[in-house]
Amino acid sequence: MAKVMVGKASDIGEGNMIHLTVGGKEVLIANVGGRYYATGNTCSHAGAELHEGELKGKELICPWHRAKWDVTTGNLIWFPQKLRELGNYKVTIENDTMYVEV
Ligand code: FES
């Protein structure tokens, strides 16, 4: 695990998300109710980039076939078939500087 500085927490408003390549991994970071969560950005169904989807509370909806993911855990909420979980990454904030452990 490496702790990587990824930017300022205040740049991601509540209900918004960004994506970054961190340590060679595609990572999505979301602000849900003022807390920050990081998960994989690539839908395990067919590879959509999830930051192009919608965020409703903690539900992340895939832009291609509407799989619903829990952005706080990377777990699948709904899809007609079982999909591999997205995984999640630890986010820490120090004086507005955000770090992700990948
Ligand atoms: S690519 Fe995400 S549900 Fe199909």
Side-chain angles (χ1 to χ4, degrees):
M1 289 276 176
K3 187 173 170 180
V4 180
M5 188 177 77
V6 293
K8 288 179 175 241
S10 56
D11 286 344
I12 310 173
E14 196 166 326
N16 291 328
M17 52 188 168
I18 62 166
H19 94 286
L20 300 158
T21 304
V22 186
K25 295 178 180 158
E26 296 299 318
V27 176
L28 177 150
I29 301 172
N31 178 339
V32 180
R35 298 195 62 176
Y36 296 85
Y37 301 92
T39 187
N41 191 43
T42 307
C43 184
S44 62
H45 176 233
E49 292 192 56
L50 291 168
H51 74 281
E52 293 179 348
E54 297 166 45
L55 187 62
K56 292 184 178 174
K58 67 177 189 174
E59 275 189 15
L60 171 62
I61 303 168
C62 178
W64 286 4
H65 313 106
R66 315 297 290 172
K68 288 185 184 172
W69 300 95
D70 182 336
V71 78
T72 68
T73 61
N75 293 341
L76 186 65
I77 296 171
W78 174 86
F79 199 65
Q81 69 191 71
K82 188 169 167 42
L83 300 177
R84 184 172 37 82
E85 310 296 0
L86 303 173
N88 60 33
Y89 304 99
K90 185 175 180 188
V91 178
T92 50
I93 315 283
E94 295 169 18
N95 298 321
D96 197 38
T97 302
M98 187 164 46
Y99 299 85
V100 174
E101 290 182 32
V102 293

